[in-house]
Amino acid sequence: MIPDKAPKEDVFHGSEELKKEAHIPSFEKYKELYMKSIDHPDEFWGDVAKDFFWKTKHTGPFLEYNFDVTKGEIYVKFMEGATTNICYNLLDRNVHDRKLGDNVAFYCTFQKHLSAPQRYQYESISNRRRFKAASSSTEQIELDRKSDTETAQRETDREGKEKTRPVPQVPWDPEVDLCWHSLIRGASDECEPEWCESEDPLFILYTSGSTGKPKGVLHTVSGYMLYTATTFKLVFDHQPGDVYWCTADIGWITGHSYITYGPLANGATSVLFEGLPTYPDVGRMWEIVDKYSVTKFYTAPTAIRMLMKFGSDPVVKYKRESLKVLGTVGEPINPEAWQWYYNVVGDKRCPIVDTFWQTETGGHVLTPLPAATPMKPGSATFPFFGVVPAILNESGEELEGPSEGYLVFKQPWPGVMRTVYGNQQRFETTYFKKFPGYYVTGDGCRRDKDGYYWITGRIDDMLNVSGHLLSTAEVESALVEHEAVAEAAVVGRPHPVKGESLYCFVTLNDGVTYNRPLEAELKKQVREKIGAIATPDYIQNAPGLPKTRSGKIMRRVLRKIACDERDLGDISTLADSSVVEQLFQNRCCPAV
Ligand code: WTA
């Protein structure tokens, strides 16, 4: 499946200097370890596990599973019987066993909310509350809210002249409320770890589902820990002295796996950034790279495309000589953006790791290794250790050699999701029913003559906007909840920066007139219900939608209308073809 020899033509290689220090220095070494990870997973993961702390050893095999719905319930168990604590492994182990206690864990560039001038007092409170919300329990937030408000009250009183302004009052019930400051005074900063079972839940992260309702993806302790640690170490070729920077949002899976767990498990030094890559100017990223001497940099294709629009001047203004490896995640990277990233940002010196993975996979599953894998711009190249990809046709047959079809995985790796929280049936239906025996990614994929994998995009009703997955059904239901809307259909329209933009068709209820204020209201509604990333780019009034005789909306036709492409293919199943012409005439944006 993986070629014995890497191709020599039309590929890019990591530098000799990088190969000298790399964990996996050659394609041959990659292939040898890959085969070991598949043929002897116990040995492979057993070696990885040696670096971690286990309170008790596992009792069963490293990996036990059923991936075939026809044989019973789907399950994955990794290192069953072992007990450990992930926080102990991420922090205590680095301090006590690895003697990294004085190393920087995170260079933090959060704004100092506390130093905000008085007259911005109230905003500062709400900012602090928002910041804390990311890391505190609900009770803690409530207590912080009380103490923030009290502080604000004292400061306002002191200012005197502000006395007339109403200060928010927080009710205090001595039966249930406790004062944070008195509680924390005298509390010990030691907290004994809770020893967890390997398969205990670690976290649940919600991701869009094609039926509209988000799915709670459940990850468990040991498998996720070892998988994020290993992918981080090998994909970014982590070395002592590295300064790593991942620009992702910490609430996204990329922030979980590759800002928090992966880097900390390796005792890495990271830059943590909260802000915009374009503020105060478009050189912001490279300024930070120089300021902290960043060696490994990880971002999304959408950010690269956005910065590319401003040309190379804002990049070459900075040295960037510390950079060694560049990474991308979240969506296919178009070869043009890849070349710009490689030539301009990385000065033709830094390999690009185009990492394909999902919230569900926990960590990278198709990816180059920087010193070992010859790169092709736009290809996520080959599987990571323990991962066995296949390409299936519509009938579920495995395709060999150069081919295109559904991307699936044949067996689990330690970091794969365990279930959809509270809904095992949905887990099995979404990922395992279509092709029994395989985990179905929902992505299309092509394999070329050299065995390289190229992701071609989602094949379900999902959109990828700036690297974030959105379900069309979710946006449609947010639109339909508005009292003016009878029906909505949402499709993706290619966008030069965001990858895809949201083009929404809405059919209004009888008697309602379409106008700008209504359009603004609809955009606001989607934004509030789902989030800023889902704000529709275009809304078109659609008195009728193209439907089949059985009433199914033909999204394929709507996608053509959104792009003003007249070649509609076979539309003989349309119930009323006159709506199509009407929609073409009322398009609301210029051709792509
Ligand atoms: C897409 C993000 C092509 C893909 C980590 C996948 C990619 C979805 C790549 C998961 C890549 C992610 N090349 N497509 N390198 N990385 N995708 O769950 O469609 O937010 O299924 O996880 O993003 O998105 P999610």
Side-chain angles (χ1 to χ4, degrees):
M1 179 188 38
I2 292 169
D4 287 330
K5 290 227 175 324
K8 292 216 160 44
E9 283 164 20
D10 302 325
V11 290
F12 293 78
H13 295 274
S15 66
E16 287 306 316
E17 204 187 323
L18 195 76
K19 284 178 197 282
K20 264 189 239 149
E21 64 171 11
H23 296 293
I24 315 283
S26 65
F27 193 75
E28 289 68 32
K29 184 75 190 165
Y30 158 68
K31 173 126 194 187
E32 178 195 320
L33 274 176
Y34 178 79
M35 294 320 293
K36 178 174 168 182
S37 76
I38 304 304
D39 297 338
H40 306 286
D42 283 32
E43 251 179 68
F44 184 90
W45 295 111
D47 285 346
V48 172
K50 278 184 198 146
D51 282 344
F52 292 80
F53 179 82
W54 307 94
K55 186 74 176 167
T56 60
K57 290 201 171 345
H58 62 287
T59 47
F62 261 84
L63 208 49
E64 247 190 307
Y65 70 97
N66 173 38
F67 252 27
D68 188 343
V69 273
T70 62
K71 295 191 178 140
E73 179 160 306
I74 301 293
Y75 71 89
V76 176
K77 288 178 185 165
F78 184 74
M79 292 184 77
E80 217 191 1
T83 47
T84 187
N85 177 288
I86 200 164
C87 190
Y88 184 92
N89 275 290
L90 263 46
L91 299 177
D92 306 49
R93 185 178 58 104
N94 285 328
V95 176
H96 302 309
D97 305 351
R98 305 177 75 203
K99 310 289 176 225
L100 299 177
D102 292 331
N103 284 18
V104 174
F106 288 109
Y107 288 110
C108 186
T109 62
F110 277 109
Q111 295 291 314
K112 287 196 172 73
H113 295 294
L114 283 172
S115 61
Q118 293 295 312
R119 72 196 161 85
Y120 290 133
Q121 193 169 286
Y122 291 96
E123 281 164 45
S124 150
I125 289 172
S126 64
N127 281 345
R128 257 189 293 176
R129 216 181 297 145
R130 227 175 296 139
F131 167 63
K132 281 185 172 138
S135 60
S136 319
S137 65
T138 336
E139 294 81 4
Q140 164 84 54
I141 295 164
E142 187 59 23
L143 287 166
D144 284 340
R145 195 161 72 90
K146 282 182 192 298
S147 74
D148 281 345
T149 313
E150 282 156 13
T151 311
Q153 186 157 15
R154 274 200 301 281
E155 285 166 0
T156 311
D157 285 349
R158 246 200 322 272
E159 276 207 1
K161 56 180 181 291
E162 298 258 346
K163 258 196 173 137
T164 47
R165 188 200 283 176
V167 170
Q169 295 296 318
V170 176
W172 185 273
D173 177 354
E175 290 284 315
V176 290
D177 291 332
L178 297 166
C179 173
W180 172 254
H181 295 99
S182 355
L183 274 180
I184 207 69
R185 205 175 300 127
S188 163
D189 58 6
E190 294 276 323
C191 173
E192 269 306 300
E194 181 76 28
W195 300 110
C196 301
E197 293 277 335
S198 273
E199 286 300 333
D200 277 351
L202 176 62
F203 63 80
I204 301 160
L205 197 58
Y206 281 80
T207 179
S208 300
S210 55
T211 57
K213 212 168 143 222
K215 304 179 288 272
V217 170
L218 183 98
H219 285 289
T220 54
V221 177
S222 299
Y224 180 84
M225 177 171 80
L226 294 200
Y227 200 69
T228 52
T230 313
T231 43
F232 176 81
K233 177 176 168 181
L234 302 181
V235 172
F236 298 109
D237 191 45
H238 177 67
Q239 301 288 345
D242 266 346
V243 177
Y244 164 82
W245 180 22
C246 167
T247 65
D249 183 320
I250 204 132
W252 187 28
I253 189 66
T254 307
H256 280 56
S257 300
Y258 299 112
I259 293 180
T260 314
Y261 294 98
L264 286 177
N266 283 275
T269 294
S270 304
V271 173
L272 190 63
F273 175 73
E274 168 73 12
L276 291 175
T278 47
Y279 183 85
D281 60 61
V282 293
R284 180 68 165 149
M285 296 235 198
W286 324 121
E287 183 199 336
I288 293 175
V289 164
D290 279 1
K291 181 170 174 188
Y292 293 100
S293 299
V294 170
T295 53
K296 314 282 164 79
F297 178 71
Y298 195 29
T299 196
T302 184
I304 297 163
R305 287 194 297 265
M306 191 241 295
L307 294 174
M308 229 174 108
K309 282 198 310 193
F310 299 96
S312 33
D313 288 354
V315 186
V316 299
K317 232 175 94 184
Y318 298 94
K319 291 204 189 86
R320 294 157 288 110
E321 59 195 5
S322 54
L323 287 172
K324 289 184 177 173
V325 175
L326 302 172
T328 67
V329 55
E331 56 188 311
I333 178 164
N334 47 315
E336 199 193 354
W338 194 100
Q339 296 281 2
W340 189 80
Y341 199 27
Y342 182 79
N343 293 329
V344 181
V345 176
D347 278 333
K348 304 186 179 170
R349 189 184 69 242
C350 310
I352 293 180
V353 286
D354 173 355
T355 61
F356 167 83
W357 59 295
Q358 309 174 299
T359 306
E360 295 87 335
T361 67
H364 310 141
V365 279
L366 296 181
T367 176
L369 300 179
T373 317
M375 298 156 286
K376 294 193 183 189
S379 167
T381 72
F382 297 110
F384 190 74
F385 302 117
V387 175
V388 186
I391 296 181
L392 306 186
N393 64 15
E394 191 60 49
S395 344
E397 289 152 352
E398 268 188 46
L399 304 173
E400 302 292 333
S403 45
E404 186 165 343
Y406 292 88
L407 176 67
V408 299
F409 295 113
K410 295 169 76 162
Q411 63 184 55
W413 52 96
V416 69
M417 72 184 288
R418 299 303 197 255
T419 190
V420 169
Y421 179 66
N423 201 340
Q424 171 76 10
Q425 203 180 343
R426 187 162 182 213
F427 172 57
E428 298 191 356
T429 309
T430 311
Y431 305 101
F432 295 94
K433 281 253 166 75
K434 189 170 172 69
F435 300 119
Y438 302 93
Y439 165 91
V440 180
T441 59
D443 285 291
C445 185
R446 180 168 70 80
R447 190 170 41 219
D448 70 14
K449 63 176 180 21
D450 297 318
Y452 280 64
Y453 289 86
W454 301 73
I455 305 295
T456 52
R458 302 292 305 181
I459 33 193
D460 47 17
D461 283 335
M462 305 286 268
L463 296 178
N464 195 322
V465 178
S466 301
H468 291 260
L469 268 197
L470 286 174
S471 91
T472 50
E474 206 176 345
V475 181
E476 285 161 9
S477 47
L479 287 166
V480 174
E481 278 177 41
H482 193 283
E483 57 187 8
V485 179
E487 196 171 22
V490 176
V491 294
R493 178 180 194 267
H495 186 279
V497 173
K498 299 199 283 189
E500 283 188 285
S501 57
L502 286 167
Y503 196 111
C504 311
F505 296 85
V506 291
T507 307
L508 300 183
N509 283 317
D510 259 2
V512 184
T513 316
Y514 192 86
N515 54 29
R516 292 285 159 211
L518 174 63
E519 185 174 309
E521 246 181 68
L522 293 176
K523 287 189 178 178
K524 184 162 164 266
Q525 165 130 339
V526 178
R527 192 188 167 95
E528 281 173 1
K529 292 218 175 285
I530 305 174
I533 196 86
T535 311
D537 298 82
Y538 308 101
I539 300 188
Q540 176 171 347
N541 181 22
L545 287 167
K547 292 185 182 169
T548 60
R549 272 173 267 275
S550 61
K552 211 169 179 324
I553 296 172
M554 289 182 78
R555 286 162 204 287
R556 178 172 69 75
V557 173
L558 290 177
R559 273 192 282 272
K560 296 274 186 181
I561 295 170
C563 300
D564 203 11
E565 286 171 16
R566 299 273 168 166
D567 166 26
L568 296 179
D570 181 5
I571 51 166
S572 57
T573 52
L574 263 182
D576 173 7
S577 55
S578 70
V579 295
V580 174
E581 191 43 42
Q582 202 179 10
L583 289 175
F584 268 118
Q585 276 171 19
N586 298 336
R587 286 182 70 265
C588 60
C589 64
V592 181

